[in-house]
């Protein structure tokens, strides 16, 4: 059993990761901005008001945690980099520090040409700031997170929606995992499975991985 803190536990990804972890017997602290609006989370979850960009909030939650899941969204470009900096700063030099599991953007994955999906000419403008923000966070982990154990998780770049939990997926590195038709598809529910599997059996420490069917 692990002690897991999920920042952004009220969101689409965070709520499913929280539920998946609880269903497997883990203790979960759900750090959200508005605890009163998250009655849909499992009853055994401990709800707290918490922000991954607040050094004080992070330090309050770190001591008993085995893993810190970052599943935040809905902010301006700097949100994800601020969270990464705050978490790494709080954990650096801490003995037996928890791992960071950062739920990142699929648009940071690489096309067959070796370019990022977010850099493609037809990438939607309305998603560009968030995509660049997630890319900033990934760059930070790769270049500046020495002494801290982290994992950056990218869903598919396009076909990623709420759906069915199958418990099955395949993993890859910096390029999407595709099926026989060249599609990269995953449900939020099975992303949650992949995340909790990684917490239970670490296979991608200090690197990024992606998952799809």
């Amino acid at each position: 059993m692990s002690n897991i803190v999920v920042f952004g536990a009220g969101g689409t990804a965070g709520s499913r990761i929280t539920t998946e972890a609880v269903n497997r017997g883990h203790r979960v602290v759900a750090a959200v901005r508005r605890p009163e609006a998250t009655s849909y989370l499992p009853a055994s979850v401990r709800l707290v008001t918490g922000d991954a960009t607040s050094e004080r909030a992070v330090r309050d939650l770190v001591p008993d945690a085995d893993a810190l899941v970052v599943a935040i969204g809905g902010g301006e470009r700097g949100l994800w980099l601020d969270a990464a900096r705050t978490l790494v700063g709080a954990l650096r030099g801490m003995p037996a520090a928890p791992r960071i599991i950062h739920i990142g953007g699929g648009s940071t994955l690489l096309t067959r040409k070796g370019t990022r999906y977010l850099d493609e000419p037809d990438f939607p403008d309305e998603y560009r700031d968030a995509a660049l923000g997630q890319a900033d966070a990934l760059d930070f982990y790769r270049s500046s997170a020495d002494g801290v154990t982290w994992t950056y998780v990218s869903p598919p770049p396009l076909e990623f929606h709420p759906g069915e939990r199958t418990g099955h997926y395949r993993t890859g590195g910096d390029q999407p995992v595709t099926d026989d038709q060249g599609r990269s598809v995953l449900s939020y529910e099975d992303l949650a499975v992949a995340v909790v599997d990684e917490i239970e059996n670490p296979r991608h420490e200090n690197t990024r991985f992606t998952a799809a069917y």
Side-chain angles (χ1 to χ4, degrees):
M1 179 188 299
S2 295
N3 295 319
I4 303 170
V5 177
V6 180
F7 290 97
T12 306
S15 61
R16 286 159 173 80
I17 293 167
T18 297
T19 299
E20 179 72 22
V22 167
N23 288 344
R24 297 204 207 176
H26 298 291
R27 289 187 290 262
V28 179
V29 175
V32 298
R33 293 178 181 176
R34 297 177 56 213
E36 69 278 5
T38 53
S39 59
Y40 49 87
L41 293 176
S44 62
V45 167
R46 181 162 73 90
L47 277 171
V48 300
T49 302
D51 183 345
T53 65
S54 165
E55 183 175 346
R56 179 176 180 179
V58 171
R59 290 190 181 279
D60 285 346
L61 294 170
V62 158
D64 297 323
D66 299 304
L68 306 176
V69 177
V70 183
I72 59 177
E76 297 180 352
R77 174 174 175 174
L79 173 67
W80 295 275
L81 178 57
D82 286 348
R85 284 174 170 164
T86 301
L87 290 165
V88 169
L91 300 187
R92 183 172 281 134
M94 176 183 173
R99 294 175 64 199
I100 300 170
I101 309 291
H102 184 112
I103 312 305
S107 59
T108 62
L109 292 166
L110 303 182
T111 68
R112 292 185 178 182
K113 298 180 295 184
T115 58
R116 300 178 302 184
Y117 278 86
L118 67 90
D119 295 322
E120 291 295 287
D122 59 349
F123 189 82
D125 287 341
E126 62 266 32
Y127 301 129
R128 191 170 301 279
D129 277 355
L132 289 169
Q134 288 284 21
D136 293 340
L138 177 58
D139 290 343
F140 174 80
Y141 286 119
R142 285 174 164 169
S143 65
S144 306
D146 294 344
V148 174
T149 303
W150 58 272
T151 299
Y152 187 102
V153 187
S154 286
L158 298 174
E159 298 187 70
F160 178 50
H161 309 285
E164 179 185 0
R165 181 195 186 280
T166 70
H168 301 289
Y169 61 89
R170 294 177 295 139
T171 61
D174 286 329
Q175 290 187 315
V177 174
T178 57
D179 61 19
D180 293 340
Q181 287 74 47
R183 297 174 62 198
S184 183
V185 183
L186 191 70
S187 68
Y188 274 89
E189 287 74 8
D190 282 329
L191 177 76
V193 173
V195 168
V196 180
D197 282 350
E198 179 64 27
I199 293 171
E200 293 179 344
N201 298 292
R203 294 189 299 153
H204 302 93
E205 293 187 343
N206 299 329
T207 191
R208 182 252 290 276
F209 80 92
T210 185
Y213 299 126

